[in-house]
Structures are given as C-alpha cells and as structure tokens.
Amino acid sequence: MFKRFIKRIKEKGHQLVESRLFILILLFIILSAVLIGRLFYLQIVKGEYYLSNYKLQIRKTREIAGTRGNIYDRNGNLLAYNELAYSVTLEDDIPSDENRNTTLNQTLENVINIVEAHGDSVISDFGIVLDSAGNYQFSKTDETSRLRFIADVYGKTYVDDLTEKQKNATPDDLMHYLCTDDIYGYGIDDTSEDKAHILKLVNLRYAINLNSFQKYIPTVLASDVSDETAAAIMENLDILEGVNIEEESLRRYTDSKYFASIIGYTGKISQDEYDSLDKKSKKKYSLSDIVGKSGLEQTLDQTLQGAKGSKTFYVDSVGKVTDVVSYKEPGAGNDVYLTIDKDLQEETYQLLEEKIAGIVLSKLRNVMNYDPSTVDDSKEIIIPVDDAYNAFIANEIIDEAHFSAANAGQTEQEVYAVFAAKKTSAIESIINELNGGTAYKDLPDEMKAYEDYIEQVLRDKSGILVTDSIDTSDETYQAWAKQETITLNQYLNYAISKNWVDSSKLSNYISSEKYSDASEVYQAILRYLQDYLSSDINFDKLLYKYLIKSSGISGAQICAIVYEQGVLPMDEAAYNGLRSGTVDSYSWLYSKIQNLEITPGQLALEPCTGSAVVSDPNTGEVLACVSYPGYDNNRLANTMDSAYYNQLVTGLSRPFYNNATQEKTAPGSTYKMVSSIAGLTEGVITGSTYLNCSGIFDKVTPSPKCWAYPNAHGDLTIVDALKVSCNNFFYEVGYELGTDAEGNYDSDLGVEKLAKYAKEFGLGETSGLEIPESEPQISDQYAVQSAIGQGTNNYTVSQLNRYVATVANRGTVYKLTLIDKTTDSNGKIIKEYEPTVVNTMDEISSNSWDLVHQGMISMVQYDATFSGLDFSMAGKTGTAQQSTVHPDHALFVGFAPAEKPEIALAVRIANGYSSSYAAEIGRDIVRAKFNLTDKAELVTGHAAGLGTAIAGD
C-alpha cells in the first residue's frame, strides 16, 4: 500500500517535470528570486545612497510663444518691436497640503524682498489698486469690466453666475476673501496696516492661480528685471522653491505717446476675449497667451502673432532639465507697415500740444473764485489760477496720499495738517446740516458742492438712492432738484417714505432686523456718509479744492510740493523762493506751462485735448492720426501696470480715449460744403445766386442769427458765403431745400435732402480705419440749423477728414486706412493694401466742385491766419458750442495744394475758444508736410504764440 503510494507520487512528479507547467513555475521562481534580490539590494544595501541622490524624472511639454511681428511706419521706421529681457518666474509644484500657503507665501516674500532691493518691481497686473488715499479700489471703473473681474475672483465662468452679494462686493470684500477664505484663500493676514504689501502678495498669488489649471506653465512674478536682480535670484534658489530666471520676449514701443492711440498695447488674453474667439481661432490660442488688447495690436493680432513652438523635456525633483526629448522652433509673426509718416505724426502731436498750451496761457489769470456764468460771450471765459493749482491734486500730478507719509516733505506736512483739520470740521458741518438744514438755494457754494457730492454718492456710487424708483415729476423731487427750495434732509426723508431708498444697502448701519422706522433709516444714512466721507479720495479732492479757493492752502505750497515729490527735478532756488514768498507762484506756474514742463494734458483744464487726422485724398491712406494727450503704452504691454491703467482711465484729460476716432463733435461751419453741394445740385442756388444776410434769419421761429450779428454780410454768392462763413446764407439754403413745389416749408424735407448728400460724402458710416471708431450721426431735425453743421450732426475728426478728402478729390469717397502692407519676417510681401473706393459722387457737376474749391481757397486767402504761407491751400473753419459756461470747440478742415491736393486734414481742439487756433495748426501741418519752414521754427518745445482770434466760425 505504502509502496503503491510512493510509486504514484513518483509518476506524478515525473509527469510534472516533463510538462510545460513545470518550466513556467521554475521560471517564475527564478525571476521572483532575482526581483527580491534586487529589491533587497536597492532598499537595504544601497537604500541610504539612493535616498540621498534621489532623482525623480518628470516629463513635461511646454508651449513656446512665437515672436510677435514688428510694426513700422510707411518709411520703415520701427514703431513696435520685441526685446529679450530677464523675468523672475515661478512654476508652482508645491503640494496642496496644510503647509502650502505658508510655503508659497514665504517664497513670494523672499522674491519681493530680493527684487525690490535691487530697484525692480514685482508685477502689478490685478483688478484692484490703491488710490492716493491708500484705499483699495477697482482698477477698471466700468461696470462690465468690474463684474468680469469679480466673476474671475469667485471662479465663475459667467457674470450671471454671481450672487447678488457677490456682484456688489467691494474691493475690500474681495481682498478679504482672497486673503482669508477657508477653501480658496491665500492664508494672508489682511489685518496688517501695510495694504501696499498685502496687495503685492495678492497680485502674485492671483497670477499663480490663473495658471494653476495649466500644467507646467511658469508664472511671471517680475518682468524686465536687471542683471543684478537676476543674479541675486539665482544665488538664492535654495530658498526659492519653483522660482527661476527666464528670458522672455517683451513688446516695446518707440516714442510711445505719439502712437499709443493707434498701435495700442499687448497683454494676457482674458477669459472673455478667449470665449469670443471662433472654434478655429481657439485652437491657436490658450489662456496664457499674450495678445493685442487695443488698437492695431488687437485688430491685427492674428497677423502679428507668431506660430507657437513646443519643447518636451525631463526635469528632476528640483526642476533641473535633465533631457530634452523634442523641440519645435517657434515661428515669427508677420510685420506690418503702416501708412503713417512717423515724423508728421510726431510733429502734429507737438503742434497740438504747443498750441493748446498757448491757449491755456492766453486765458490764465491771477484771480480766484471765478464764476464763468457771469460772462456773456464764451470766448471771454478765463482760467482762474486757483483752478490751475487745484488741478495738481484733482488730476493727481502730485500725490496727496504722500502728504501724510513718514518721509513727507516739510510743505507736504504743513498742507496735510491744514487738510486734516478741515476734513474733521467739514464732516461735522455736513452732518449738522443734514440733521437740520437750510434750503439748498440758500446754502454757501461750498456746502452746495458737498451736498451735490453726497447725492451723487448715494445715487451713483452706493445705490442707496435707487435711480429707477425716483419719480422725477414728483413735486418734492422738483423742489429739491429744480426749485432748490427744500433741504437735503427733507429730500432724503421723503425719499425714504416713497421707497426710493434701498435700506438693504445700509445693513451694517441699522441695528434692528426690521427697518420700517424711517428715522432709523435716515440715521443709518448719516452714519454711512460719515464713514464714507472719512475715507473717500474724491471727497478729499473736493476739500482741497475749497481749501485752495479760500487760501487755506496757497498756490506756493502746491508748487513747492511739485519739487518735494520729484515731479520736477529739485531747483533749490525756486523751491526756497516759493516757501519764503520771494518766488511768485503764478509766475512760476506760467513759466512751467510756457516751457511745457507742466503740460495741458497734466493740468486737464479747458482746453486740454485735441486731435488731428491727415490723409492722402487720392488713396485714403492716413499719414497722421493724432490724439492728444497720449500715454506710455510700454507700461501697459506685457504685464500691465494696473495703477497706471487706472490713472489713465480716471484721468480728467482722458488720455486713454482716442479723440481722433472716438470723440464725436458737431462739425459747425466745416459742414457748409455739404450744404453747398446740396444747394447747387438741387438747384436752389447757382454760382451767381445772391442771398442777403441781414444778421438774423426770420423765416423760422425762433430766428437764428449770423455770427456777424448785430452786423450783417449783405448780399453774397456761394463763394463769398464760404469765404466769410456766413450763417444766414446757409440758413437760406437749408430753408429752400425744405420748401416744396407749392412754396411750403417742411423742415423734414430739408433734413432729408441734406442727409442724402451727407451720406454721399461718407458721413453716414465710419471711415474705414482699422481701429475702433464711433458711429457718426447725421442730423435728423431742424433743416435750417443743420445746414450750418448744427442740428444733431455729430462726427469724429477721422470722419470729417474723409469728408474733406472727398471734397478735395471732387467726389471719390475712399475708405481710410492705416495699413500699407504686411510682410513676413524676411521682408517678403504678403499683402499690399490697395485703395478702396466706397462711393463716387458722379452726379455732382464739375462747376459745383469748382465753386466749393474757390470758396475754400478764398477763405484761406481772406483769413489773416494764413498770411505768409506762400503755398496754395483750401480750408474751412468751424466752431461748435458746448454750453455758455464752457469755451467753444474749435475745428478746421482743409487740403493742399489747392490745385492738386496731396493731403487732406481735419483738426479739432476741444474747448479751444476760436476756430482760428485750429486753423493755425492746420496751416503748420501743411508747412511741416511740405517742408515750407524750418522744423525748429514750427516745433519749439514751448507754448505756441497765438494769432488774432477771428470772429465767426
């Protein structure tokens, strides 16, 4: 039995050895033994060695941005280009654990310290900035941008996803959320008083968060740093986890202020911009890309963008590249050549600035507390010197927040002491006034200004007064807003009773849960106002205005602070003289404006803005497109300087606004060529028709007057009417255009006929420029007034330029263009832009064009502004009234040479007083273009002299 069992085992064993399964089992045992032995060797025998020399290999693929194409002027002068520079970057590989915030924040603290110790700055591309009073505020003030930023902070794809509370979040709310939220917060102590430092940290953390969803995308912490900063960062990499120094291509602009309004700038693509791309374009872009944000950089972005490259590589545990697997070279974008003439663009800008400075000086007076409503003629309005002193604070030429700084200058400290006492007493007076009150009409001007501001705060800034709920026909409202016979106390209490007040906005100031008690709501409004006014920079500016008006702060102190803050280089003699009284502040200010050390754009008085467009009437090519004042687009490109952006957006002279293409104006008498062509073609006048000007046109009521009134021009032909710009002549043309076959006047008929010809001239649509342009408005009422460019006519300077270019070339309407050609990076032409004809006015007779040209030539020959020009030119002046308490806008259009036009031009000075000043600029543009005068005589670097302001328009 036992033997049989042994035998059976032997047989089974023999079968197993001979089977394939045995071979597999044996192989498995051998391999397992090898593996166990290897593991023993690696972990036990060599464990300590490999632990100390651990190299974790990570494979990464990173996109490499292509090189953006250059932008040149028509003559090959470089306007926009790229430059390699050092940037401090961080690739965020820090684990998401309880120590992440502490580790990351400490790294960023170290970066800030190193960067700033070497004179550089970390990025400031964030939707919140500090105002001059040290308070958080949104960098973008328009509602759409504000809500988009808030949605980004809260991680919402769409603005509509925000709760009502989130939509109403203040900058302080958002900062507190980002610093301290349990889930999404950065772990930053926001109770510190150093808001500037907190903001820097939040800037950096927010930028890192924006890249968090994209693997291996480094975040730029500081851009364009010095060699010293780069070296210091490299020396401290052991304490800077994930930080590195990289070369990046930065966008640069030459002579930026002259071209910024055309070229624009670049920046990181926003979520909205990305979402607006079509499906095909989205494949070319990612949310880390740098794109054009405005101007030609934006409209030509796909032309300028270079093709992306890529790099696949391995890095070790400390981020060091150990092996490059593949590399695809990035491509260069196409170059763009503009039609702009760089020299003419710059000279036109300088001519505008010098002429505007000359107008300011001609109107500046050493008087205080001036009331322009006392003047009958707007041409007689002056600029009181207290307005100029106040402009230094109102337009932030000097920084009032620095007055209270530890290192404030002596004059700053003196001014701040006066201001602090004024603020305390002013708020107390306001609250007292609101607790009792005097009828608005009986208040002093200063208290009226405070109450006006308070109403604006309650209505527009806080939403406590709900505009849509207010019944503007209500008697009490009328008593406040129109008759001014009640107090603000009465008005607000009445508003509460009528549910015009949103008490939910006062929840922090109302103790009870139910607010049916009107008196409690009113007291909550007072507490809200007390808090608001205590920290509001705009209220501070209002206080400074009245301190200057009352001589509580002197002009000499304001001027001395200009030196203390380094706005101008220190001049010890002038500074000490201002402080001691031996230097007169009015004379000092006059000389600084005269020398353009302080510019009209900085002062933001009236006038402070202007524009000019010069084109070739035979092609539509734009040779100059100038908006004054300009700005430095280098500070917005690449990584935006948010504080500078906010300054541009809120600046009183609106440097961010393209006055040439976006600001519309009534054309005034520059429109009279439209009326001339309409009248001649419709047969209501001929070249030999005489119409009488008696100084007043009494065929309609109310009866409009000629500018010559109480004088008159007498009998005039069309040529004479254009020469002297007689309003009555063109009133009659408008009237006749509106008169039907039965002799009955119908204004709508006249408006319709004028509009027909305005459209023929291209005034019914934008001019064709490749940058944003406001839509024009052809007058739709009052035929008589419309015939002299009033009514509801409203056009940009670019549109007026195309119109006068059409007059110059006798009826061919071209699309205006800024682009000459595009080439690849090797100079091979990709596309040449040909002139585009929109319309030809074939029905206009040659005789009609002759008469209009003759009238415009006569105007130039008649006007003393052009005496000594010695060059044939045609032109037409115009003025457009804004109001009786503001100077008129000054316009001029023209072309040269008159017989065979090579350029057409349109010039506007907002609040420029007299059209002759715009005409002087037009004259000097012609001199510059055709080299008729030494350039040094045209552009002097000083405020320009003024000719005699002509009467009329």
Side-chain angles (χ1 to χ4, degrees):
M1 188 78 175
F2 178 73
K3 288 181 178 180
R4 195 181 308 154
F5 177 72
I6 294 299
K7 184 179 179 182
R8 188 176 297 171
I9 289 175
K10 286 181 178 180
E11 289 174 354
K12 293 291 183 182
H14 181 71
Q15 291 174 0
L16 179 64
V17 170
E18 290 182 345
S19 71
R20 293 180 181 178
L21 181 60
F22 175 77
I23 296 172
L24 289 173
I25 291 171
L26 183 62
L27 181 62
F28 176 76
I29 292 170
I30 293 170
L31 289 175
S32 296
V34 171
L35 179 60
I36 291 169
R38 185 62 181 168
L39 286 172
F40 179 83
Y41 176 79
L42 291 174
Q43 294 189 16
I44 306 302
V45 178
K46 302 290 286 183
E48 186 175 348
Y49 170 80
Y50 283 118
L51 184 63
S52 61
N53 292 276
Y54 173 65
K55 302 285 183 182
L56 176 63
Q57 299 290 310
I58 301 175
R59 179 176 171 131
K60 300 183 178 185
T61 299
R62 181 177 294 167
E63 285 185 340
I64 304 172
T67 304
R68 199 169 181 85
N70 295 331
I71 300 177
Y72 300 88
D73 86 332
R74 68 187 299 112
N75 299 312
N77 294 305
L78 193 59
L79 303 179
Y81 62 99
N82 310 291
E83 183 176 83
L84 287 177
Y86 289 128
S87 291
V88 182
T89 65
L90 180 139
E91 190 169 322
D92 182 15
D93 287 328
I94 298 173
S96 297
D97 56 26
E98 66 275 8
N99 296 318
R100 171 179 166 75
N101 278 334
T102 302
T103 303
L104 188 50
N105 289 343
Q106 186 56 58
T107 297
L108 297 180
E109 291 273 11
N110 292 335
V111 169
I112 292 171
N113 292 336
I114 293 171
V115 168
E116 292 185 346
H118 293 84
D120 289 316
S121 317
V122 293
I123 60 170
S124 177
D125 185 7
F126 186 53
I128 294 173
V129 295
L130 287 175
D131 63 25
S132 57
N135 299 312
Y136 294 127
Q137 69 174 50
F138 292 112
S139 63
K140 297 182 179 179
T141 55
D142 65 284
E143 185 72 359
T144 301
S145 298
R146 184 185 69 83
L147 289 174
R148 180 64 260 173
F149 170 67
I150 292 174
D152 290 340
V153 169
Y154 285 116
K156 306 295 185 183
T157 304
Y158 304 105
V159 167
D160 290 342
D161 295 336
L162 292 167
T163 66
E164 198 62 30
K165 182 178 180 181
Q166 289 172 335
K167 286 180 180 180
N168 293 318
T170 66
D172 289 271
D173 293 335
L174 295 179
M175 289 294 292
H176 184 69
Y177 168 80
L178 289 172
C179 287
T180 64
D181 186 76
D182 292 338
I183 300 174
Y184 302 107
Y186 302 152
I188 299 171
D189 178 11
D190 65 343
T191 61
S192 165
E193 292 184 1
D194 190 355
K195 288 186 174 181
H197 186 71
I198 294 171
L199 188 59
K200 289 174 190 174
L201 278 174
V202 171
N203 258 287
L204 299 181
R205 287 296 305 270
Y206 187 75
I208 293 168
N209 264 23
L210 290 178
N211 281 342
S212 62
F213 64 95
Q214 299 179 93
K215 249 187 168 183
Y216 316 131
I217 298 294
T219 300
V220 174
L221 303 181
S223 186
D224 195 16
V225 299
S226 65
D227 292 344
E228 291 76 15
T229 297
I233 291 289
M234 296 301 290
E235 290 170 4
N236 289 276
L237 288 182
D238 57 326
I239 62 168
L240 301 173
E241 185 175 349
V243 175
N244 204 355
I245 292 293
E246 296 185 8
E247 275 193 334
E248 65 172 338
S249 180
L250 298 181
R251 196 62 162 172
R252 304 291 197 201
Y253 303 102
T254 57
D255 302 316
S256 57
K257 68 178 179 180
Y258 304 116
F259 300 94
S261 60
I262 301 173
I263 293 177
Y265 58 92
T266 62
K268 192 172 182 179
I269 191 171
S270 68
Q271 183 69 54
D272 283 351
E273 288 169 328
Y274 182 78
D275 291 343
S276 67
L277 295 172
D278 56 41
K279 188 176 294 186
K280 182 179 179 181
S281 297
K282 280 183 178 177
K283 294 178 181 179
K284 301 179 183 178
Y285 291 89
S286 66
L287 282 166
S288 61
D289 285 348
I290 298 295
V291 298
K293 303 292 282 188
S294 72
L296 291 172
E297 289 277 31
Q298 182 179 44
T299 55
L300 298 176
D301 188 72
Q302 297 202 29
T303 299
L304 293 163
Q305 283 279 5
K308 292 180 182 177
S310 63
K311 180 180 179 181
T312 302
F313 54 97
Y314 285 97
V315 296
D316 59 26
S317 59
V318 293
K320 182 179 178 181
V321 177
T322 60
D323 186 29
V324 176
V325 178
S326 64
Y327 182 81
K328 179 184 176 183
E329 190 79 30
N334 295 324
D335 294 335
V336 174
Y337 286 78
L338 305 184
T339 59
I340 294 293
D341 181 321
K342 180 177 184 288
D343 292 339
L344 186 63
Q345 176 84 5
E346 293 182 2
E347 287 161 1
T348 301
Y349 182 98
Q350 291 161 343
L351 288 170
L352 271 167
E353 181 171 66
E354 292 180 10
K355 188 64 65 178
I356 294 171
I359 299 170
V360 169
L361 289 181
S362 74
K363 297 298 180 179
L364 186 65
R365 299 288 186 273
N366 195 11
V367 300
M368 306 275 281
N369 297 297
Y370 172 73
D371 182 2
S373 65
T374 61
V375 177
D376 294 330
D377 186 347
S378 61
K379 288 184 174 62
E380 301 303 319
I381 293 173
I382 66 167
I383 301 172
V385 72
D386 58 316
D387 282 1
Y389 295 143
N390 181 59
F392 281 82
I393 291 176
N395 207 36
E396 300 181 8
I397 302 173
I398 56 178
D399 179 9
E400 59 149 298
H402 194 264
F403 295 176
S404 58
N407 62 341
Q410 187 174 353
T411 315
E412 289 180 281
Q413 294 176 37
E414 293 166 357
V415 167
Y416 184 73
V418 173
F419 165 77
K422 172 71 172 179
K423 186 170 186 176
T424 300
S425 65
I427 293 176
E428 183 179 343
S429 297
I430 289 168
I431 299 301
N432 288 339
E433 180 65 37
L434 292 177
N435 273 317
T438 304
Y440 180 89
K441 66 183 180 62
D442 298 324
L443 290 171
D445 288 344
E446 184 173 345
M447 186 57 72
K448 283 182 179 178
Y450 295 154
E451 291 199 355
D452 288 342
Y453 184 69
I454 286 168
E455 186 189 16
Q456 180 188 351
V457 167
L458 295 176
R459 185 184 65 244
D460 301 332
K461 297 187 178 182
S462 68
I464 292 171
L465 269 175
V466 185
T467 305
D468 292 341
S469 299
I470 297 173
D471 178 5
T472 55
S473 63
D474 183 277
E475 288 185 8
T476 302
Y477 176 82
Q478 290 286 321
W480 162 254
K482 303 296 183 183
Q483 288 88 33
E484 302 177 352
T485 55
I486 64 173
T487 67
L488 183 53
N489 177 313
Q490 291 171 302
Y491 170 59
L492 291 178
N493 275 290
Y494 184 77
I496 294 168
S497 71
K498 301 296 287 185
N499 292 320
W500 298 348
V501 168
D502 183 356
S503 55
S504 68
K505 301 287 180 68
L506 297 164
S507 57
N508 293 334
Y509 297 91
I510 297 179
S511 55
S512 61
E513 294 183 4
K514 296 181 180 179
Y515 340 123
S516 55
D517 187 342
S519 64
E520 186 178 4
V521 175
Y522 185 71
Q523 290 304 312
I525 289 175
L526 297 188
R527 288 192 291 273
Y528 166 82
L529 287 172
Q530 193 156 8
D531 281 354
Y532 187 92
L533 299 178
S534 296
S535 60
D536 178 40
I537 181 62
N538 291 313
F539 179 65
D540 289 352
K541 289 180 178 180
L542 193 57
L543 292 173
Y544 277 111
K545 175 181 178 179
Y546 281 96
L547 276 169
I548 291 169
K549 282 183 173 294
S550 65
S551 299
I553 295 173
S554 70
Q557 288 176 306
I558 296 294
C559 298
I561 290 173
V562 171
Y563 289 120
E564 289 183 353
Q565 292 195 355
V567 177
L568 294 179
M570 176 56 75
D571 179 337
E572 294 287 352
Y575 171 70
N576 291 328
L578 286 164
R579 286 193 50 80
S580 66
T582 58
V583 170
D584 175 57
S585 57
Y586 175 81
S587 300
W588 180 92
L589 176 62
Y590 193 98
S591 69
K592 296 307 173 188
I593 300 172
Q594 176 69 42
N595 297 328
L596 296 178
E597 294 174 82
I598 301 295
T599 67
Q602 287 177 292
L603 288 170
L605 302 168
E606 292 180 345
C608 65
T609 64
S611 55
V613 177
V614 184
S615 68
D616 182 340
N618 306 300
T619 63
E621 294 180 350
V622 175
L623 307 177
C625 182
V626 173
S627 176
Y628 178 84
Y631 62 93
D632 184 0
N633 47 355
N634 286 297
R635 295 180 64 178
L636 303 179
N638 311 302
T639 301
M640 179 182 286
D641 182 339
S642 294
Y644 182 62
Y645 176 90
N646 180 256
Q647 184 181 343
L648 294 176
V649 170
T650 60
L652 300 178
S653 59
R654 303 177 305 165
F656 215 29
Y657 191 69
N658 191 328
N659 296 298
T661 64
Q662 292 177 295
E663 185 173 43
K664 294 194 289 188
T665 180
S669 292
T670 63
Y671 186 83
K672 287 175 179 174
M673 287 81 79
V674 173
S675 303
S676 298
I677 290 296
L680 290 165
T681 308
E682 293 293 324
V684 301
I685 55 170
T686 68
S688 58
T689 300
Y690 281 88
L691 298 178
N692 180 263
C693 169
S694 62
I696 188 166
F697 187 75
D698 58 9
K699 292 184 179 181
V700 294
T701 304
S703 300
K705 299 172 183 175
C706 183
W707 65 262
Y709 183 85
N711 298 314
H713 289 114
D715 291 337
L716 298 168
T717 64
I718 181 68
V719 171
D720 293 330
L722 286 170
K723 171 183 173 181
V724 299
S725 198
C726 175
N727 288 347
N728 266 37
F729 185 97
F730 291 98
Y731 289 147
E732 184 66 45
V733 170
Y735 186 86
E736 292 298 328
L737 287 171
T739 302
D740 61 23
E742 286 73 38
N744 299 313
Y745 173 67
D746 179 357
S747 178
D748 290 343
L749 176 63
V751 165
E752 183 181 328
K753 289 181 180 177
L754 285 169
K756 170 191 171 184
Y757 289 93
K759 289 175 183 176
E760 289 281 299
F761 274 108
L763 289 172
E765 60 186 11
T766 54
S767 69
L769 290 175
E770 294 85 358
I771 56 178
E773 187 177 34
S774 297
E775 291 289 334
Q777 181 180 350
I778 295 175
S779 183
D780 57 4
Q781 55 186 345
Y782 310 126
V784 168
Q785 289 86 344
S786 295
I788 68 161
Q790 295 178 1
T792 56
N793 283 305
N794 235 349
Y795 311 105
T796 65
V797 172
S798 52
Q799 290 152 13
L800 292 178
N801 175 274
R802 182 168 77 159
Y803 147 61
V804 78
T806 303
V807 174
N809 66 37
R810 295 170 172 257
T812 302
V813 183
Y814 289 98
K815 270 191 175 182
L816 294 188
T817 182
L818 292 164
I819 307 173
D820 181 21
K821 63 183 177 182
T822 56
T823 71
D824 65 18
S825 58
N826 297 314
K828 181 182 177 181
I829 292 178
I830 295 173
K831 181 178 180 180
E832 287 191 279
Y833 288 75
E834 300 295 331
T836 301
V837 176
V838 178
N839 180 46
T840 55
M841 301 175 69
D842 299 324
E843 76 281 12
I844 310 303
S845 71
S846 177
N847 182 60
S848 293
W849 290 120
D850 288 343
L851 291 169
V852 170
H853 279 217
Q854 188 179 344
M856 295 177 70
I857 292 169
S858 297
M859 180 264 154
V860 169
Q861 293 172 341
Y862 169 75
D863 190 340
T865 299
F866 299 91
S867 61
L869 178 61
D870 297 328
F871 194 80
S872 63
M873 182 178 177
K876 185 72 198 75
T877 55
T879 58
Q881 187 180 60
Q882 178 179 345
S883 76
T884 56
V885 294
H886 295 278
D888 294 344
H889 304 308
L891 296 107
F892 175 78
V893 299
F895 53 87
E899 297 76 18
K900 193 174 182 181
E902 295 178 31
I903 64 167
L905 54 93
V907 180
R908 179 178 186 263
I909 306 173
N911 306 115
Y913 286 89
S914 170
S915 59
S916 62
Y917 301 145
E920 289 171 11
I921 294 172
R923 173 201 65 197
D924 290 342
I925 289 172
V926 170
R927 285 175 169 165
K929 169 61 181 172
F930 296 104
N931 299 310
L932 304 178
T933 308
D934 190 326
K935 297 292 173 68
E937 294 181 18
L938 285 176
V939 179
T940 64
H942 297 83
L946 303 178
T948 302
I950 58 173
D953 56 1

